[in-house]
Every structure is written in C-alpha cells, then in structure tokens.
C-alpha cells in the first residue's frame, strides 16, 4: 500500500500554519475549549465527523470503515508558567507539535481511506499535564475497541539526537501525595501537653529516607512542601500540611514506595500521637511497552526515515499520562515514538523550542505504523 501522495514538502506547507496557530493559542488542562473548537472545525472541513464530550474538552475521530482497532493519541494542554514576569499558558512541553503531527496523520490517512482494511481512531486528549486526561478517556470507553495505541513525544537533545526517531519511550512512574497532620496545640512552655505536628513532619521526612529500594531500581520519595504554625512563636503547632513527590522507573517499584510510605505514616502517627490524612492527587503510570507495537513502530521508522535514523529505545525519568491506558487496560498494546527534534533548553523550560521541520516526518512514521498495525489486526481476525 502506497503510504501517501503528499510529498514531505507539501505536508510541511500544510502543517506550518496549523502549528503556528496552536503554538500561539495555548490553553491549560481542562480549559482547552478553543483548541477543541479549532480541531473540530479542521476535521469537519476534512470531511470527518469528530466526536466531542458534553462534560469535558477533547475529542476523537475515526477514519475508515467499521470499528477502530488501532489508534494514535495526542495531548492538547499547555503549562501555566511565568513568561516575562506574567503567568500565562505556554506550550513548553511540545503538545502543539504533537497535535500538529496528529493532524498530519489525518491528512495522510484521508488519502488512504478508500483502501484502508479497517478503521483507525485519532484521540485528542486533554489534561495530560494534570495526569487526568487518560483516565477520563478510559472512563468514556474511548479505547475499549482498540488493540494497538501509539503515542509520540518530542525529546530533548540530551536523550535523542536531532533527526533520529526512537520506537519506544520508557517513562517512569510518579505519584503526588498531599496530606495533613492533626496534633494538639499547646503553650510553648508546656510541650508535654501538646502533639507537635512539626516534629511529626520531621519524623515523616526521616522515615521516607528509610524506605529501602533495591539499588538496581531507580526511585525516590521526598517531601516537597510543608506548612505549619502561625505567626506566634510560643505555640506548639497542632496542624500541618504537606506534599510528597514519589518517582520510580517501574510500576512495581512505585508499589513498593507506596507501601513504605503507608507504613511510615502509621509509625509516625503512633509514635507522635497524631493523625495523618493523605490523598493521592496524581498518579502517572510507568511505561509498559509492548514488543509487537514497538516492532511495528521500528519498522515504520526504518521505512520512512531510514535505518540510520532509527535510534535505540529511550529510558527517561519523566512521566507521561499516556501510559495510564495500558495500566488500566493491560491488553492494550502500546508504544510511543520518540521524536528527535532538538528540544532546547529542555522540556517545561519557559523558553523551550524545537525544530518543527521534523513534524511532517513524525506524521509519516505514525501513519505508516498505524497502517501496519491495522493490517496485522485484520490478519489476526481472519485466522
């Protein structure tokens, strides 16, 4: 099957104004209202029928006939950052580029639509930066029919050489705990009558350091915020609030960190006679890369960009909401394309930039992978 009729240059010319619009109109998580409207309008003009939601931003669209078994997901939201002294939405994680790749994929698939052996679903997911969008899409049943799901992310130079492409991104897991310590206030002269929440917080910090993880595993857990006491210095503080950031390269190691954190909370509560309440405000699952999906994406990279530009898999400590799809749907076969496009100074830096000229090639690679995966699912169905 011929991948496309559009040349790379023609595709680049069509994608340039798209990227410029998306880059200049960033919107933060769950507020991607105008972005959703822009994408819906684009897709309808392309003769497609995008599906939106009544209670949230984001959308998806199917190309081809029948029930989709293969999909590509892009994120939509921007970060909230201080730029030139003013806080504002800012696309410093490359989601503007990811959406541009997705629309390039749609342009290429539209040319192939009459010959596609089945249907492909393109997902425009909100709230990746809050680690909430994938969960919402799972709950909406958006990925229920899919066997393969691909993603993509621009990569910094320290991870991927410019002009190269990786068939898998091994992101780590992350959890954000927030909580409160409830003790008893007392006069500073009578500490024995109170339960000092600052001392309990200090013990909690010390306990976190004693959660032992195998040195062969990459992991960390640490307190990142603590607030306790008021303006009076002669009062034993009876309440404190805290935040804890946990990171691990695998989901199993994150489970071990979580179990250690719970034991530490129980021990400190007993020792200092305080109560500690906490919530998991965010949970980002580690990558669970599927070998077949990775093989398909590697084949697509080689066919489109050449074997010399196919880079090794990337292991990165950063997190990605994409991996919640496999975490919640273990049967889903997933991998992410690492797009080496010279990201500098780095992801989430307020002045982050990258070379947009690689976006059309990224779209071609993803399109090729989707077609290869669709052909595989069709062969499996005929056996």
């Amino acid at each position: 099957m011929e991948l496309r009729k559009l040349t790379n240059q023609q595709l680049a010319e069509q994608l340039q104004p798209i990227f410029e619009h998306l880059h200049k109109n960033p919107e933060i998580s769950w507020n991607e209202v105008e972005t959703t409207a822009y994408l819906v309008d684009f897709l309808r003009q392309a003769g497609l029928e995008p599906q939106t939601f009544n209670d949230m931003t984001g959308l998806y669209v199917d190309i081809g006939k029948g029930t989709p078994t293969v999909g590509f997901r892009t994120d939509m939201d921007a970060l909230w950052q201080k730029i030139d002294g003013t806080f504002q939405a800012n696309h410093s994680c490359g989601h503007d580029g990811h959406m541009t790749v997705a629309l390039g994929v749609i342009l290429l698939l539209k040319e192939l639509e009459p010959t596609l052996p089945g249907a492909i679903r393109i997902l425009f997911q909100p709230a990746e930066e809050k680690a909430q969008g994938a969960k919402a899409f799972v709950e909406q049943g958006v990925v229920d029919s899919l066997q393969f799901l691909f993603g993509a992310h621009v990569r910094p130079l320290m991870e991927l050489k410019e002009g190269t492409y990786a068939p898998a991104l091994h992101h780590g897991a992350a959890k954000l705990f927030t909580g409160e310590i409830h003790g008893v206030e007392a006069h500073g002269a009578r500490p024995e009558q109170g339960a000092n929440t600052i001392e309990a917080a200090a013990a909690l910090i010390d306990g976190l350091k004693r959660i032992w993880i195998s040195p062969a595993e990459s992991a960390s857990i640490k307190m990142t915020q603590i607030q306790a006491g008021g303006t009076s210095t002669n009062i034993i503080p009876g309440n404190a609030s805290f935040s804890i950031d946990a990171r691990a390269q695998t989901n199993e190691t994150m489970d071990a960190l979580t179990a250690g954190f719970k034991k530490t909370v129980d021990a400190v509560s007993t020792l200092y006679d305080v109560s500690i309440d906490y919530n998991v405000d965010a949970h980002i699952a580690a990558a669970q890369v599927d070998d077949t999906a990775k093989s398909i994406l590697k084949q697509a990279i080689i066919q489109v960009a050449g074997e010399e530009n196919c880079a090794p898999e990337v292991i990165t400590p950063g997190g990605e909401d994409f991996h919640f799809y496999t975490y919640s749907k273990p049967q889903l076969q997933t991998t992410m394309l690492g797009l080496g496009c010279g990201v500098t100074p780095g992801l989430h830096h307020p002045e982050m930039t990258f070379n947009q000229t690689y976006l059309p090639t990224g779209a071609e690679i993803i399109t090729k992978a989707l077609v290869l995966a669709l052909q595989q699912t069709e062969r499996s169905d005929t056996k």
Side-chain angles (χ1 to χ4, degrees):
M1 179 184 293
E2 180 65 27
L3 179 59
R4 57 170 173 77
K5 298 175 184 177
L6 284 172
T7 65
N8 187 277
Q9 180 59 36
Q10 291 170 329
L11 183 61
E13 291 172 357
Q14 293 190 44
L15 294 184
Q16 183 61 32
I18 292 171
F19 175 82
E20 290 178 356
H21 173 87
L22 294 169
H23 182 73
K24 292 177 181 178
N25 295 277
E27 295 176 297
I28 60 174
S29 302
W30 295 128
N31 289 273
E32 309 95 333
V33 176
E34 296 303 322
T35 304
T36 298
Y38 173 84
L39 295 168
V40 166
D41 181 65
F42 179 94
L43 295 170
R44 285 176 177 165
Q45 289 189 36
L48 297 169
E49 299 179 3
Q51 303 297 312
T52 57
F53 307 94
N54 294 326
D55 56 351
M56 68 180 192
T57 50
L59 65 142
Y60 65 92
V61 67
D62 297 340
I63 302 175
K65 296 179 180 179
T67 302
T69 55
V70 175
F72 173 67
R73 168 272 201 183
T74 179
D75 32 24
M76 303 167 61
D77 53 334
L79 290 158
W80 187 251
Q81 292 182 303
K82 196 172 187 179
I83 310 294
D84 297 328
T86 303
F87 278 98
Q88 58 188 276
N90 183 38
H91 271 306
S92 59
C93 197
H95 297 186
D96 45 358
H98 304 163
M99 287 186 283
T100 303
V101 168
L103 293 181
V105 169
I106 286 169
L107 291 173
L108 294 171
L109 286 177
K110 276 295 293 179
E111 294 194 331
L112 295 174
E113 187 174 12
T115 59
L116 289 176
I120 294 171
R121 176 163 291 177
I122 309 298
L123 292 69
F124 294 86
Q125 179 209 301
E128 189 278 330
E129 296 295 352
K130 286 188 175 294
Q132 297 172 347
K135 183 176 185 291
F137 266 26
V138 168
E139 292 174 349
Q140 291 282 348
V142 176
V143 298
D144 284 356
S145 68
L146 302 183
Q147 179 179 338
F148 288 98
L149 181 63
F150 297 90
H153 207 299
V154 297
R155 304 315 301 165
L157 278 169
M158 63 184 294
E159 289 186 353
L160 204 55
K161 181 181 175 182
E162 186 170 339
T164 65
Y165 309 87
L169 297 177
H170 293 267
H171 289 96
K175 273 188 181 180
L176 172 62
F177 301 91
T178 58
E180 294 186 351
I181 305 173
H182 306 285
V184 178
E185 288 194 358
H187 195 288
R190 302 178 182 87
E192 75 282 358
Q193 295 179 2
N196 192 327
T197 55
I198 289 180
E199 292 178 352
L204 186 57
I205 293 170
D206 187 60
L208 296 179
K209 297 177 182 178
R210 301 177 190 281
I211 299 174
W212 295 106
I213 299 296
S214 167
E217 299 291 333
S218 174
S220 70
I221 183 167
K222 59 278 180 189
M223 190 173 289
T224 54
Q225 290 180 329
I226 175 68
Q227 293 180 334
T231 58
S232 299
T233 59
N234 62 344
I235 297 176
I236 301 298
N239 290 281
S241 61
F242 63 86
S243 297
I244 289 175
D245 178 276
R247 304 277 170 167
Q249 197 59 51
T250 67
N251 292 316
E252 293 75 17
T253 303
M254 178 57 73
D255 290 342
L257 281 181
T258 302
F261 170 66
K262 292 178 180 178
K263 289 181 180 179
T264 302
V265 166
D266 291 341
V268 171
S269 298
T270 300
L271 183 62
Y272 287 84
D273 197 21
V274 297
S275 63
I276 302 177
D277 303 318
Y278 63 88
N279 295 304
V280 178
D281 284 3
H283 177 201
I284 300 174
Q288 299 175 75
V289 175
D290 176 75
D291 287 341
T292 302
K294 179 178 64 178
S295 176
I296 289 171
L297 187 53
K298 182 176 181 179
Q299 183 181 349
I301 292 171
I302 292 171
Q303 291 186 17
V304 172
E307 189 166 6
E308 67 279 9
N309 293 318
C310 183
E313 302 168 44
V314 173
I315 298 176
T316 175
E320 231 294 347
D321 193 32
F322 175 84
H323 304 298
F324 187 82
Y325 291 109
T326 310
Y327 186 82
S328 59
K329 301 279 186 180
Q331 74 279 9
L332 192 59
Q333 297 171 268
T334 65
T335 192
M336 294 192 81
L337 172 70
L339 189 57
C341 54
V343 171
T344 55
L347 295 170
H348 289 206
H349 190 284
E351 297 177 3
M352 186 275 278
T353 61
F354 63 90
N355 191 335
Q356 306 158 33
T357 61
Y358 296 105
L359 298 180
T361 303
E364 292 181 47
I365 291 170
I366 291 296
T367 303
K368 186 65 177 178
L370 292 171
V371 172
L372 291 171
L374 185 59
Q375 291 171 342
Q376 177 151 327
T377 62
E378 291 301 311
R379 285 195 299 269
S380 298
D381 289 343
T382 57
K383 289 182 180 179

